Amino acid sequence: DAGVTQSPTHLIKTRGQQVTLRCSPISGHKSVSWYQQVLGQGPQFIFQYYEKEERGRGNFPDRFSARQFPNYSSELNVNALLLGDSALYLCASSLRQGAGNTIYFGEGSWLTVV
Amino acid sequence: GENVEQHPSTLSVQEGDSAVIKCTYSDSASNYFPWYKQELGKRPQLIIDIRSNVGEKKDQRIAVTLNKTAKHFSLHITETQPEDSAVYFCAASRGSNFGNEKLTFGTGTRLTIIP
């Protein structure tokens, strides 16, 4: 079985540009979450989506947005990129939402903003 | 919101010895505590998790203990091997069937196994 897949794996953007990151959850998983991991730190929660609805949002500015599609895949969009947005963006999926659900991470998308 | 503290930030142990990493959490409503191992340039991989209705869980050389009263949980790795070298993150979640499953991560422990 395929795990959580993300694309692109690496990308370089210029300050002020916009970026879209994509995620396909494990087959059968309906919950998708996004995390930002800055070098040397733990992942920080950005969004969670379940059944195409936003179920949680972390402390990130409105430049960050996301959505989930009917096939449960998801996109994370970041507008007006700043140098500080350079990070590993991780997508995670779980079977359903709620406490105690095992959460599996994808390999991530490495974003560098120059 | 939830705050998770993790100690130590770095840990070096001789191969074959045991390693212990400790985490404390602030939100008494947290009820799920996973541990992730992250190798350089790779994704976090779940190695073990524990739920609040259990005090201890073991999987081969890895064990996790939870003290709900003190709000702390620990990872124990016995008979350490060079391939155990990585960064380890603890996390906590208070999600429910009506809320979200946000994980709050600790700051990580860089474990180095000395051959």
Side-chain angles (χ1 to χ4, degrees):
Chain A
D1 284 343
V4 179
T5 57
Q6 293 186 241
S7 63
T9 54
H10 296 80
L11 69 165
I12 299 174
K13 291 285 188 177
T14 304
R15 276 181 299 174
Q17 285 189 315
Q18 175 263 344
V19 67
T20 298
L21 308 177
R22 296 176 176 82
C23 171
S24 293
I26 293 171
S27 178
H29 285 197
K30 299 181 178 181
S31 176
V32 171
S33 300
W34 287 94
Y35 289 79
Q36 180 197 64
Q37 187 176 22
V38 174
L39 200 61
Q41 299 181 17
Q44 298 288 318
F45 174 78
I46 309 175
F47 288 109
Q48 186 216 343
Y49 278 78
Y50 179 73
E51 291 284 13
K52 303 180 290 293
E53 291 187 4
E54 181 183 303
R55 296 303 181 102
R57 173 185 286 254
N59 292 326
F60 281 80
D62 292 342
R63 300 184 295 107
F64 289 76
S65 63
R67 55 180 175 169
Q68 186 177 33
F69 299 98
N71 65 353
Y72 303 110
S73 66
S74 178
E75 286 183 352
L76 175 70
N77 295 284
V78 187
N79 294 322
L81 286 167
L82 304 174
L83 295 179
D85 294 331
S86 295
L88 175 65
Y89 288 85
L90 294 160
C91 176
S93 78
S94 65
L95 190 58
R96 55 188 177 277
Q97 85 157 5
N101 293 312
T102 303
I103 297 172
Y104 300 93
F105 285 91
E107 294 291 350
S109 293
W110 290 91
L111 171 65
T112 301
V113 182
V114 298
Chain B
E2 173 71 281
N3 182 50
V4 178
E5 295 188 356
Q6 183 172 347
H7 300 280
S9 57
T10 60
L11 179 61
S12 295
V13 301
Q14 292 287 338
E15 182 178 355
D17 288 350
S18 296
V20 179
I21 302 171
K22 299 181 179 181
C23 289
T24 61
Y25 60 98
S26 61
D27 188 347
S28 56
S30 288
N31 51 24
Y32 176 61
F33 307 93
W35 286 87
Y36 288 87
K37 174 184 179 182
Q38 188 173 31
E39 298 176 353
L40 190 63
K42 300 288 186 65
R43 62 180 171 174
Q45 287 195 299
L46 179 73
I47 56 172
I48 196 168
D49 57 9
I50 192 168
R51 292 165 175 78
S52 59
N53 59 343
V54 175
E56 183 174 357
K57 183 177 179 180
K58 188 174 182 180
D59 182 4
Q60 299 183 335
R61 298 187 296 110
I62 295 173
V64 58
T65 59
L66 171 65
N67 183 327
K68 289 188 294 182
T69 303
K71 290 190 285 188
H72 68 70
F73 55 114
S74 300
L75 177 72
H76 305 252
I77 306 174
T78 59
E79 301 173 12
T80 53
Q81 301 169 3
E83 52 265 37
D84 294 330
S85 294
V87 178
Y88 290 79
F89 290 98
C90 62
S93 171
R94 61 169 294 178
S96 70
N97 286 331
F98 303 97
N100 70 70
E101 59 187 22
K102 166 189 174 183
L103 287 174
T104 300
F105 283 82
T107 49
T109 296
R110 181 173 300 280
L111 174 63
T112 302
I113 306 303
I114 304 167

